[in-house]
Amino acid sequence: PAAGERVAYPPEEIVLSFAAPVRTATTTVRLRAADGSQIPLTTLTPDGTVDTLVLGVPVLDTDVYALGWESVGDDGHRATGEVVFGVGASPGDVAVAAAGGDAAALLLDGLGLALRLLWYLGLAAAAAAVVLGRGGTTLAAGVLADRGPRLWRLLAGLAVLRAVVGALTLLDAGADVTTVLTSRGTLVWASLAGLLAVVGSRRPTGPALAVLAVVGGTLAGHAPDRPDAVQAVTFGAVHLGAAALWVGPVLGLVLLARTVGWRSLDPDERGAQMRAHVAEIATVAGWALAAVVTSGGVLALRAWDGQSVTTWMGEASTAVLLAKTVVVVAIAVPLGLHHHRQRERMVDVGGGLRTEAGALVLALALGAVLVVLDPGWGRATGDTDTTLAALLDGSAGPPERCADVDVGQATCYRTALEALLVAEGPQAAIDEVLRLSETDAFVAAGCHQVAHDLGNDAAERIADMGVALAVDGSACWSGYTHGFVEARLSDITDREMSAALPTFCDGAADPPYSFSHYNCLHGLGHGLMLRADADLFAALPLCEDTGELWAVHSCASGVFMENVMAAQQGQPAEFDDEDLLYPCTVMTDPVAEDCYLMQTSHVLWRLDGDVAGGFAWCDSAPQAHRATCYRSMGRDVSSRARLDPAGVVSQCDLGQPALVRWCLDGAASNAVYETADTTLADALCALVQGDRRDACTAARDQAARTVAAG
């Protein structure tokens, strides 16, 4: 589910699609309900390195849930995320926390942040050594000759510590020793440490070593895992290197002024060395600032990733980025410009230069925090075309293969049928659902829902409603049409709803009162029920906005059917366990008949398929609605008997003899609507005589005319 989404039915699987491959061993997913209880999940993805992680979910009650995940990458960096969604309920302002590591994880992450900041300061020190060494003053040369080798040994030690902490983080996340030792972070940091220790002892102020440290550290981080790895590494290294060139020399000059040698110089000599260094720093800082702004802009735009300003402003990484920007723009840059203008008159390190150095170090620290918050990955949207079927063998494959899938069959069929929808159009996919319903037990049992999911997918793929509904969507009680309309309705705002309803199905109303026109309005009823948060008495008045009485009846049938389906899915529904005919018993014209025409699906479900008991409830209905109730029973026993004519007759005979004809009426209509053909209805009518045959053939012919009209 997408963040903040309300889904009508509990998901059978949750699919997480990552921007870069993750190891299943070092990825943890938690699902919690609003009360904090943890929901058990089953990992359906084979162990290894994957782009997509699929998890099986038990049947979820109506509630708000939070899905929290964390994954430790090859560099030892921990990435986390959380998606709050509702099942049959709107998340609203409900706060649910699913993420959160243990004490060891928090300690390791804290050490990682501290070492990252120390590494940045070490790079700044290396930049200071290079730039101040170029200034050529006697004092700077002496200090660098004394402390230069220690600088590179210090960086080498920091690289070793980063390798160790990264390795411990991977171990804590569940990786084995082999994985840890061969991970990119461990190998690159260890190699970089060796190079800095060996080469640094020979060339203590070499610019090449500083470049090596910047690029090597970037390669050891998570930039190579980005979808745009080359850009990420390039701009990341440029940004960090430029920041070091800006921060380091200023900070180095402040620290140089604290040495005994600086304080022992006479004022004239101190002023001369000060002006020489500031002149060198000003030139380098100007170019460094340009590089920081350019590369930082690219990195920030990638981190923004096109989301709305409101969403972007609400993220923690945005707050840190803005704080960093304020420090740079409001403090460091104005002070830098001031010192640039005053450089010919500067004779000592004053408070302004120390403030500038402090602001730059603060910006560097905020940069370290920003990396921890990990901006720049694509935001979670809940939208993904990658599902279990594609995961198993890299492609959707034919629907037949889904019969052999042990877990995730619903997702497998949905993916395969969506692929067929895209490749050959909606009619081919609908025909495939109908074919599968005759041979595949899973599709036969959930035919309407399978077709319904196909309709949801078609709404995402096909913009023109007239084109999408210009099909024979009668298969599986028009599940495709219902799903399409339900999804399309979600695009209309509450404010636009009343004005949009009278013309909502105009694209499917050619000819008017046709089967496709009815199915569109019926699907509209399903959608209105969902928009009303399963409130039957709020959805029915919306149906009245559709206009004429025929449209109201068609829409209301969808509302009542959604009420029945919701109850069977464990969602909120308007029913009474003591009176199985409620809410029909409180309905008035014009929608009471539509209620009774759907109610027996609920009655039989509550009675565990007791057909005789279902007829008994129909017999207790008001006289004016008993025939309608029997027609509803005819539809249900027809489906339960898999349209077998003999089975239908034997079950209809369990009702009152005077009303059996209406059961056959409903069964004959159902046979035509299910198959878009009269063959099974002909066989059914041939098994009965007298008024029963008359009712059967009349219903058959009416249904056939409706289907033929489109």
Side-chain angles (χ1 to χ4, degrees):
E5 183 180 4
R6 173 194 181 275
V7 295
Y9 304 107
E12 293 185 9
E13 291 108 20
I14 287 177
V15 181
L16 295 104
S17 184
F18 293 92
V22 297
R23 285 194 176 97
T24 54
T26 59
T27 301
T28 304
V29 183
R30 299 181 182 90
L31 182 66
R32 294 189 188 277
D35 63 3
S37 60
Q38 186 163 331
I39 311 299
L41 300 173
T42 304
T43 302
L44 307 181
T45 305
D47 290 338
T49 301
V50 299
D51 292 312
T52 302
L53 190 62
V54 182
L55 302 142
V57 188
V59 177
L60 300 178
D61 296 328
T62 299
D63 203 349
V64 177
Y65 297 88
L67 180 82
W69 62 268
E70 67 175 40
S71 181
V72 176
D74 222 18
D75 61 335
H77 183 90
R78 192 186 314 275
T80 63
E82 186 170 83
V83 175
V84 178
F85 65 96
V87 175
S90 176
D93 296 325
V94 178
V96 189
D102 55 20
L106 294 174
L107 174 61
L108 289 168
D109 289 347
L111 287 173
L113 173 59
L115 287 172
R116 184 175 291 106
L117 177 56
L118 289 174
W119 177 256
Y120 290 171
L121 290 173
L123 295 179
V130 173
V131 175
L132 295 179
R134 287 182 60 192
T137 67
T138 304
L139 178 59
V143 171
L144 292 174
D146 180 45
R147 302 180 184 179
R150 281 186 288 173
L151 169 63
W152 302 113
R153 288 197 296 271
L154 175 63
L155 281 176
L158 287 173
V160 170
L161 289 175
R162 295 200 67 176
V164 170
V165 171
L168 291 175
T169 304
L170 281 169
L171 286 172
D172 179 65
D176 56 38
V177 175
T178 302
T179 298
V180 171
L181 294 178
T182 58
S183 68
R184 177 171 47 78
T186 302
L187 293 175
V188 175
W189 281 120
S191 301
L192 184 58
L195 286 170
L196 289 171
V198 173
V199 181
S201 63
R202 300 177 182 176
R203 299 188 63 188
T205 60
L209 266 185
V211 173
L212 174 66
V214 170
V215 175
T218 305
L219 290 172
H222 51 263
D225 288 330
R226 302 288 185 185
D228 51 351
V230 174
Q231 182 194 87
V233 171
T234 301
F235 282 92
V238 168
H239 189 71
L240 185 56
L245 282 170
W246 189 18
V247 177
V250 176
L251 180 61
L253 182 57
V254 171
L255 296 177
L256 180 66
R258 297 176 64 88
T259 63
V260 174
W262 179 273
R263 291 196 297 270
S264 65
L265 294 173
D266 65 74
D268 291 339
E269 178 63 21
R270 191 162 56 224
Q273 292 202 20
M274 179 69 187
R275 288 188 290 274
H277 284 306
V278 171
E280 184 69 22
I281 289 172
T283 302
V284 173
W287 288 105
L289 175 60
V292 164
V293 171
T294 303
S295 57
V298 171
L299 295 172
L301 284 173
R302 187 185 60 189
W304 176 49
D305 199 35
Q307 72 262 51
S308 69
V309 173
T310 302
T311 301
W312 183 70
M313 289 295 292
E315 295 183 356
S317 59
T318 303
V320 176
L321 177 62
L322 292 176
K324 178 182 173 183
T325 304
V326 168
V327 169
V328 170
V329 173
I331 303 174
V333 170
L335 282 173
L337 293 173
H338 171 71
H339 298 141
H340 174 70
R341 290 193 298 269
Q342 299 294 321
R343 68 184 186 276
E344 296 300 330
R345 295 191 294 273
M346 293 181 71
V347 296
D348 208 343
V349 173
L353 199 62
R354 288 193 292 270
T355 302
E356 180 185 348
L360 291 174
V361 171
L362 176 58
L364 212 60
L366 290 170
V369 174
L370 199 59
V371 172
V372 173
L373 296 175
D374 198 31
W377 296 107
R379 264 59 182 183
T381 64
D383 300 328
T384 177
D385 288 333
T386 308
T387 47
L388 184 60
L391 178 68
L392 293 175
D393 67 354
S395 64
E400 290 87 347
R401 67 184 291 279
C402 299
D404 299 324
V405 175
D406 293 331
V407 292
Q409 279 188 309
T411 304
C412 183
Y413 282 108
R414 184 165 188 171
T415 303
L417 290 167
E418 184 181 10
L420 186 60
L421 169 79
V422 173
E424 301 183 29
Q427 189 63 64
I430 294 168
D431 292 343
E432 182 66 10
V433 174
L434 183 59
R435 186 187 69 78
L436 289 170
S437 70
E438 298 170 353
T439 58
D440 187 297
F442 180 90
V443 179
C447 187
H448 182 85
Q449 189 60 48
V450 172
H452 194 279
D453 290 341
L454 178 64
N456 284 165
D457 294 333
E460 295 294 325
R461 300 284 187 177
I462 305 172
D464 190 324
M465 183 184 291
V467 172
L469 297 180
V471 294
D472 178 5
S474 58
C476 306
W477 265 93
S478 305
Y480 167 84
T481 304
H482 301 167
F484 181 92
V485 174
E486 174 188 293
R488 189 55 57 84
L489 185 66
S490 66
D491 295 334
I492 302 175
T493 66
D494 291 340
R495 181 177 297 181
E496 299 167 336
M497 186 66 67
S498 293
L501 290 178
T503 59
F504 181 81
C505 286
D506 283 0
D510 187 17
Y513 314 117
S514 61
F515 196 44
S516 61
H517 191 186
Y518 164 79
N519 277 325
C520 179
L521 288 161
H522 178 87
L524 177 61
H526 280 267
L528 291 174
M529 188 67 162
L530 296 177
R531 286 293 289 266
D533 287 329
D535 186 340
L536 183 76
F537 296 102
L540 286 171
L542 293 174
C543 281
E544 296 178 4
D545 289 338
T546 57
E548 59 178 303
L549 187 59
W550 182 84
V552 174
H553 279 305
S554 303
C555 176
S557 69
V559 169
F560 289 118
M561 186 173 181
E562 181 63 31
N563 191 48
V564 171
M565 292 171 62
Q568 295 178 7
Q569 294 285 340
Q571 306 304 312
E574 193 69 43
F575 287 114
D576 185 343
D577 290 342
E578 300 299 323
D579 179 6
L580 296 188
L581 294 183
Y582 177 86
C584 301
T585 50
V586 298
M587 291 294 156
T588 58
D589 290 336
V591 297
E593 180 181 1
D594 304 304
C595 182
Y596 280 102
L597 198 54
M598 292 294 168
Q599 191 71 8
T600 60
S601 294
H602 175 71
V603 172
L604 290 175
W605 175 67
R606 294 294 299 157
L607 297 177
D608 293 326
D610 180 2
V611 175
F615 280 122
W617 275 101
C618 282
D619 294 337
S620 70
Q623 182 69 39
H625 298 298
R626 288 178 191 171
T628 300
C629 191
Y630 265 68
R631 287 179 63 207
S632 182
M633 283 291 294
R635 178 198 64 244
D636 289 331
V637 300
S638 172
S639 295
R640 288 173 175 269
R642 303 287 297 275
L643 305 181
D644 174 54
V648 170
V649 171
S650 65
Q651 293 195 51
C652 281
D653 280 339
L654 296 174
Q656 293 290 336
L659 296 173
V660 168
R661 64 192 302 265
W662 297 112
C663 178
L664 295 168
D665 176 303
S669 298
N670 185 61
V672 175
Y673 291 142
E674 282 273 15
T675 64
D677 186 81
T678 63
T679 302
L680 290 175
D682 292 340
L684 173 64
C685 295
L687 294 178
V688 294
Q689 303 294 325
D691 65 340
R692 295 184 179 183
R693 176 176 288 184
D694 293 341
C696 182
T697 56
R700 175 201 64 194
D701 295 343
Q702 177 60 48
R705 286 193 296 271
T706 301
V707 171

